């Protein structure tokens, strides 16, 4: 059984006033046990402070994006090396909000993932279909095309895939258990086909309206190796309840 990864994505939320929640999560991560890895991905402005707070606890810190270059004339951007320097050990890449808001293509996501892995970070690469694509029966093919374009042929131990149906993010809607299981099975098949044995070791997270009430069911599905959690990661009580659900799987 693979260790479960429960990662919180704070998106553009959080200032110094919210560090108390992170402290509670860091403390709670001590009870997660050896079968669950707990991570928080705050906005870049909080990475350094949160990493300092998490020192000595099992809580890992991640970024939410990085540039494909490590340095250079890119005003406003942050490189993977900078995230690592600030205390991050991972970075979320190709989140659907970035694909939509910033026009990130699969190729751009792949270049960022390569930069992240070269900087020693774990790249959490997000894929997922829109509601229209699911309704049209195109979800599996669309996600496969995103994997084809976004996943680099690099050290599989540095890669994580997050399946996040766009229509489930922040909406309270989730796919059926059968649909989640079918997609994760499809992603696993792609990973083992493309990256052979290493592909079976890559964690596949589910994301999209995961919360304490549905975490246990989703996390018990085959090939669901953890969760990427937005809204429910902002409050320690909710997030730690999901961590507790992962611990029992
Ligand atoms: P949500 O967000 O849990 O608020 O749906 C998940 C995500 O976007 O990573």
């Amino acid at each position: 059984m693979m260790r479960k990864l429960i990662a919180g994505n704070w998106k553009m939320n959080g200032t110094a006033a919210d560090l108390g929640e992170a402290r509670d999560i860091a403390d709670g991560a001590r009870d997660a046990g050896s079968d669950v890895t707990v991570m928080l991905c705050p906005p870049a402005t909080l990475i350094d402070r949160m990493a300092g707070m998490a020192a000595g606890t099992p809580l890992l810190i991640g970024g939410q994006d990085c540039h494909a270059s490590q340095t250079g004339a890119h005003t406003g951007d942050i490189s993977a090396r900078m995230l690592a320097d600030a205390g991050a050990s991972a970075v979320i890449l190709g989140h659907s909000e970035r694909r939509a808001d910033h026009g990130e293509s699969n190729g751009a996501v792949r270049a960022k993932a390569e930069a992240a892995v070269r900087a020693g970070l774990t790249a959490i690469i997000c894929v997922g279909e829109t509601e229209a694509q699911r309704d049209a029966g195109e979800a599996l093919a669309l996600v496969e095309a995103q994997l084809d374009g976004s996943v680099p042929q690099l050290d599989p131990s540095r890669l994580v895939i997050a399946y996040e149906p766009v229509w489930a993010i922040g909406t309270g809607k989730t796919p059926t258990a059968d649909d989640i299981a079918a997609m994760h099975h499809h992603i696993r098949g792609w990973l083992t086909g493309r990256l052979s044995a290493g592909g079976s070791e890559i964690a596949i997270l589910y994301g999209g309206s995961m919360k304490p009430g549905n975490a246990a069911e989703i996390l018990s599905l085959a090939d669901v190796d953890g969760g990427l959690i937005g809204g429910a990661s902002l409050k320690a009580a909710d997030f730690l309840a999901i961590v507790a659900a992962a611990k029992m799987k």
Side-chain angles (χ1 to χ4, degrees):
M1 268 286 285
M2 201 187 294
R3 223 176 137 94
K4 295 259 192 262
L5 169 60
I6 302 297
N9 173 12
W10 275 23
K11 310 192 179 188
M12 198 172 73
N13 298 292
T15 61
D18 302 295
L19 286 171
E21 295 293 333
R23 185 177 300 282
D24 290 348
I25 289 169
D27 286 342
R30 294 180 202 274
D31 300 326
S34 54
D35 294 337
V36 184
T37 301
V38 187
M39 181 185 291
L40 272 185
C41 301
T45 47
L46 289 183
I47 289 175
D48 178 65
R49 278 175 281 177
M50 235 186 237
M53 182 182 280
T57 81
L59 178 67
L60 300 179
I61 305 300
Q64 298 176 10
D65 176 49
C66 71
H67 197 273
S69 300
Q70 301 297 6
T71 59
H74 303 289
T75 303
D77 281 315
I78 296 174
S79 74
R81 190 190 292 170
M82 292 167 180
L83 294 176
D85 179 59
S89 57
V91 58
I92 299 168
L93 295 170
H95 190 282
S96 61
E97 287 152 14
R98 292 207 60 86
R99 290 180 187 261
D101 294 354
H102 300 272
E104 288 188 8
S105 65
N106 289 324
V109 175
R110 181 189 172 109
K112 289 173 180 219
E114 287 170 351
V117 172
R118 294 215 166 90
L121 299 178
T122 294
I124 302 172
I125 300 170
C126 301
V127 295
E129 81 285 356
T130 63
E131 191 152 34
Q133 288 161 337
R134 173 152 293 270
D135 290 347
E138 296 166 356
L140 294 177
L142 184 279
V143 165
E144 190 170 325
Q146 287 180 323
L147 293 169
D148 280 337
S150 311
V151 179
Q153 293 272 357
L154 291 176
D155 181 1
S157 72
R158 292 272 181 204
L159 300 178
V160 170
I161 305 298
Y163 167 57
E164 299 204 305
V166 178
W167 53 274
I169 295 175
T171 58
K173 295 194 267 184
T174 53
T176 64
D178 284 350
D179 283 343
I180 295 174
M183 182 62 83
H184 281 241
H185 178 74
H186 192 68
I187 293 172
R188 178 66 68 208
W190 187 94
L191 290 171
T192 51
R194 188 61 61 97
L195 301 165
S196 58
S200 59
E201 303 298 320
I202 295 178
I204 307 172
L205 311 184
Y206 170 79
S209 298
M210 193 186 271
K211 44 187 186 271
N214 61 21
E217 185 191 8
I218 294 172
L219 291 168
S220 70
L221 299 171
D223 283 317
V224 175
D225 306 307
L228 182 56
I229 296 113
S233 71
L234 294 169
K235 291 285 172 233
D238 291 342
F239 191 57
L240 291 173
I242 295 172
V243 170
K247 198 175 155 183
M248 294 188 298
K249 293 300 136 196

